[in-house]
Amino acid sequence: SKERDIHGYQQVLASTLEDLRRLSKIVENLFILAKADAGRYELHTERINLCPVITEIAEQLKLIAEPKNIFVSTEKMEDAFIEGDELLIRMLLLNLIDNAVKYTHPKGTISLSLCKENGWVNIAILDNGIGISQEDIAHIFDRFYRANKARTADHAGGGLGLSICQWIVKAHRGTITVKSDLCQGSIFTVTLPTC
């Protein structure tokens, strides 16, 4: 409502665009969960080799992590095939990786690994970020749950990302677990059946 110089208008527009992106993501997540609840989300499954998918996402992660000087590495990557919906698998991985970047301090590290064991594929995303309290771990997959203030102070989200991750994993007949200690980091492990 007040006049600004060009730089002032650019700042306001940039802030507004960021808010719109965040709201759009929340609406998209709610839509996905609503369709899933109603049993109306149709999975488009195909045989997927997770190795090139995760390698490509790791390259994207490096770009996202670069401004914070976070070092990203891939460990134990091997060909591993699943029967799955590639769009959902990518959404799962991007959500988990986005969280790792958000909650890892500048100059921290994030490591991704992919391996096979006894008919299962294990994907692990390890960071040395701020961690999650044991009290919060029991609820982080609940919809709209926001963890302690240390994790939410600088990151406005809808509390839906991890519940969507859990739904995607269950839809693929797998499991998702987390181990974490405050100030030590977290490791999220996704286990899916091979094909």
Side-chain angles (χ1 to χ4, degrees), residues 61 64-65 68 70 72 93-105 108-112 125-131 151 155 162 186-188:
L61 170 58
I64 296 167
K68 288 179 70 176
I70 294 172
V72 177
L93 295 169
L94 287 169
N95 270 337
L96 292 174
I97 287 167
D98 186 50
N99 276 355
V101 173
K102 279 181 187 172
Y103 302 119
T104 298
H105 297 298
T109 61
I110 299 171
S111 172
L112 292 88
I125 299 167
L126 170 70
D127 67 64
N128 66 347
I130 65 174
R151 290 184 70 85
H155 307 292
L162 288 177
S186 306
I187 179 165
F188 282 82

Side-chain angles (χ1 to χ4, degrees), residues 49-128:
N49 183 354
L50 288 174
C51 188
V53 173
I54 293 175
T55 302
E56 180 187 324
I57 289 174
E59 290 305 310
Q60 293 175 21
L61 170 58
K62 288 176 184 177
L63 293 175
I64 296 167
E66 188 176 14
K68 288 179 70 176
N69 293 316
I70 294 172
F71 177 72
V72 177
S73 65
T74 51
E75 316 282 339
K76 280 178 72 176
M77 299 293 288
E78 57 182 291
D79 286 334
F81 291 87
I82 65 162
E83 192 74 27
D85 185 316
E86 186 170 342
L87 183 65
L88 289 181
I89 294 297
R90 285 179 179 274
M91 183 183 293
L92 161 72
L93 295 169
L94 287 169
N95 270 337
L96 292 174
I97 287 167
D98 186 50
N99 276 355
V101 173
K102 279 181 187 172
Y103 302 119
T104 298
H105 297 298
K107 299 183 180 176
T109 61
I110 299 171
S111 172
L112 292 88
S113 67
L114 170 66
C115 62
K116 296 178 292 190
E117 186 179 357
N118 300 324
W120 295 89
V121 175
N122 293 310
I123 305 163
I125 299 167
L126 170 70
D127 67 64
N128 66 347

